[in-house]
Amino acid sequence: MIDRRGLAIALGALLVVIAAGIGLSLWGDRGTEENLPAKVREERQKAVENTCASQETFQGLKKLVFDQAARLRTGDRTNFDILSQTAFARMEDPVVENRDEFLKRISCSGEFILELPPGAERAFKGLRRLRARVQYEVQPAADGSGPVYEMKGAEPIVSSLAAFQMEQRLELPQDVAGEL
């Protein structure tokens, strides 16, 4: 014999589960990018593009390559420290490659250029700029302390910086001299 009461309870529970599933799927669609107003989507995209192309990001990437080079190098740091303070980082053709909304990670690519200060070219075979095609990511730190940067492809720049040696002392511009 079939227990009608148990069957009714089971069917009721099944209907509740199905209804909850449908409700959650509809609720989840409300937050997708396609369902946002065009102006909000445009503002988000502009913010992502600005992150890939911001001077703050370039400074973070510069610090990253100098930190990596400092771990590899030996010897006197005087000129190296001056070089790290006076070199200027920029990016040509920064492009948004991807973004992860959950992790708030933005993946970009471009040509990273480290402009060397006057006089430093003697230690870099006459080059005034170090260049590398790179992929880089920007993501907020888990502790909220600011952005965290990762970069792939900058190994030639890191190697050149790690090998940097100059007999002559680099001249420090007056506006930076007080910072060291």
Side-chain angles (χ1 to χ4, degrees), residues 9-75:
I9 291 172
L11 285 175
L14 181 60
L15 286 174
V16 168
V17 168
I18 290 172
I22 291 171
L24 286 174
S25 71
L26 291 174
W27 177 261
D29 285 346
R30 292 175 62 197
T32 61
E33 189 77 17
E34 303 85 46
N35 293 332
L36 291 173
K39 183 174 181 164
V40 172
R41 283 195 316 263
E42 195 174 298
E43 287 171 359
R44 280 188 179 180
Q45 182 61 29
K46 192 68 171 163
V48 167
E49 290 169 4
N50 287 342
T51 299
C52 284
S54 77
Q55 193 57 45
E56 178 186 2
T57 296
F58 305 156
Q59 285 301 107
L61 296 174
K62 173 186 149 181
K63 182 179 180 333
L64 184 66
V65 296
F66 273 98
D67 288 350
Q68 290 174 352
R71 285 193 295 272
L72 297 174
R73 66 178 280 110
T74 58

Side-chain angles (χ1 to χ4, degrees), residues 62 66 83 86-90 92 112-118 120 127-131:
K62 173 186 149 181
F66 273 98
L83 182 65
T86 56
F88 179 77
R90 64 186 180 89
E92 281 188 1
F112 182 73
I113 300 170
L114 191 63
E115 301 277 352
L116 302 171
L127 296 176
R128 294 275 303 141
R129 295 173 186 90
L130 303 179
R131 301 171 163 260

Side-chain angles (χ1 to χ4, degrees), residues 64-117:
L64 184 66
V65 296
F66 273 98
D67 288 350
Q68 290 174 352
R71 285 193 295 272
L72 297 174
R73 66 178 280 110
T74 58
D76 183 39
R77 287 193 50 114
T78 304
N79 275 336
F80 182 78
D81 291 340
I82 293 171
L83 182 65
S84 72
Q85 290 291 316
T86 56
F88 179 77
R90 64 186 180 89
M91 189 75 63
E92 281 188 1
D93 303 321
V95 174
V96 178
E97 297 291 337
N98 194 8
R99 69 179 176 182
D100 183 327
E101 288 295 326
F102 180 72
L103 295 174
K104 306 254 186 269
R105 178 185 302 147
I106 300 169
S107 301
C108 315
S109 66
E111 185 169 8
F112 182 73
I113 300 170
L114 191 63
E115 301 277 352
L116 302 171

